[in-house]
Amino acid sequence: MGFHHSLLRFVGIISFSLLVAACSSKPVHEPDLPEQVYYDKAQQAIEEGLPVTAIKHLKDLDARYPFGEYSTRAELDLIYAQYEAGEYIAAHASADRFIKNHPSHELLDYVYYMRALSTYTGTQTLVARYLNTDPSNRDSKEFTQSFNELGDLLARYPNSQYAPDAKARMQHLREIIAKHEVQVAFYYLKRKAPLSALRRSQEVIEHYPSSLSVERALAISVQSYYDLNQDDLAKLNISVLQNNYPDTEYLDESGDFIALSLPSDADPGFLYWVTFGLID
């Protein structure tokens, strides 16, 4: 009798312990706060320079009140908070979503601006900011995307308050992209691929005619035409170079073209070809 009593008592204690553990493991759901409370908390976090906290409150608001009074304003603030938090891809996605869901909103120029700015700032990597590396040495795809997005803003809202800044950033990007194209063109020239070099240099001349890289692009075009035995086209480009850059370093005092100086390893060796350019 005593054994059975003790066993029942032991089982009871174990069952109670398991019940308490099960109850304590259940997720604790925070009670929903009024919509304005979430919005005010997000605004306070933004003012205090706490964008990550603001993002949490804004997402809580959206989850609980997706069609509430503050939902549209919260979407706008989320774009800004994500940008300030360095979440540029998320900010870009939120801007895209806002444009799709609110195609006639009065602040749409701001959203287009923030979308382009997210791409623009995202291209400025930590290495570029802190080690002062030349951004024109990197892949220009994201720069081109940012350039096009800023251009989209200007095309849609030429009188926007954000237009002057967009123009200035486009000018900066134009120089980076053009310089990158020239560097690629010169690389092809070194690799004895004058046709590819010509295409890249002409890209700069045609699409970025006001950039500082046009002079060098013209010189690469001249060299490429000579390498392709197209002397007439080479001389035509020399005349363009001379007329637009009378003091150019690529022509001598007689107006004759000075062949571009290529490094001694310009002619690819055996390893270059068998490794598809991975090893010089």
Side-chain angles (χ1 to χ4, degrees), residues 58-69:
L58 291 168
K59 287 186 174 180
D60 286 343
L61 186 155
D62 180 66
R64 291 168 171 79
Y65 303 95
F67 305 106
E69 178 184 355

Side-chain angles (χ1 to χ4, degrees), residues 9 19 93 116 153 161 200 243 268:
R9 183 179 179 185
L19 179 63
L153 165 66
Q161 62 177 312
R200 290 292 187 137
N243 290 335

Side-chain angles (χ1 to χ4, degrees), residues 7 25 31 43 58 79 93 100-101 117 129 162 229:
L7 179 62
S25 65
Q43 292 299 303
L58 291 168
I79 298 170
K100 180 180 179 180
N101 294 337
L117 195 61
R129 286 202 296 267
Y162 307 105
N229 298 317

Side-chain angles (χ1 to χ4, degrees), residues 83 88 92 114-124 141-143 145-147 149:
Y83 176 83
Y88 304 120
H92 190 280
M114 289 301 296
R115 184 182 70 164
L117 195 61
S118 296
T119 304
Y120 179 92
T121 308
T123 62
Q124 313 301 307
K141 182 175 67 174
E142 289 184 343
F143 290 110
Q145 178 184 343
S146 180
F147 184 87
E149 288 176 350

Side-chain angles (χ1 to χ4, degrees), residues 8-9 19 36 44 49 67 84-85 87 105 108 119 160 177 179 194 200 207 210 213 217-218 237 247 249 278:
L8 289 173
R9 183 179 179 185
L19 179 63
Q36 186 173 352
Q44 181 179 355
F67 305 106
E84 287 296 306
E87 299 178 7
H105 195 276
L108 208 57
T119 304
S160 169
I177 296 169
K179 187 176 179 181
R200 290 292 187 137
H207 296 287
S210 62
S213 297
L218 281 167
N237 277 259
D247 298 323
E249 63 179 289
L278 296 177

